[in-house]
Amino acid sequence: MTLREHTPGEAAALADGKPGDLDWIDGVPGDASIGAAGMTARAAAAGYYRSPWGTFAILRAEDGVALGSIGFHGPPAPGEGEVEVGYDLSHSARGAGWATGALRLLMEWTAERPEVHTVIATTEPWNIPSQRVLLRADFSRTADRGDLYVYQRAATGA
């Protein structure tokens, strides 16, 4: 699998539900992929977007089909060293290890960034598949944030 960063223009189109030049496994991106692209597009429109701290398409290596997306909720705040990640797979891609593989790839990349020391992710208590992805990618559950479970992992040593 490979990850391909969405440019701000691609993210804006994706946020409008347009698949762009990607061949999505289910014909269209998932709702959470559209939402994440919207975050990137809004950050770019407000002048806050910094590449590569946006969203990436998760592509199947053998044919380039887009299976979902993964990315950051934004860049690390100066001096804080923490980033939050999120991911989404199209329905047809779920249950085959793609999210775990994509998260591991993103963690390998993050480990090379000295400005990042901690990566976090949140999930709803009912989202057991997402919690399993996080555990398989060596995240540990920490203190909850309201109704969300929080998982974290050191960025180094991926």
Side-chain angles (χ1 to χ4, degrees), residues 23-109:
D23 179 21
W24 292 86
I25 193 168
D26 290 333
V28 294
D31 290 340
S33 291
I34 291 170
M39 287 173 47
T40 298
R42 286 188 299 279
Y48 298 121
Y49 174 74
R50 282 192 359 219
S51 177
W53 301 104
T55 56
F56 299 78
I58 302 168
L59 304 177
R60 195 166 50 198
E62 59 267 18
D63 58 9
V65 168
L67 306 171
S69 63
I70 191 167
F72 301 97
H73 289 212
E80 291 186 17
E82 182 178 278
V83 292
E84 184 170 353
V85 296
Y87 45 85
D88 175 55
L89 289 179
S90 296
H91 290 284
S92 296
R94 293 181 182 170
W98 296 110
T100 301
L103 184 54
R104 286 177 177 155
L105 275 176
L106 197 66
M107 289 303 299
E108 287 174 17
W109 180 86

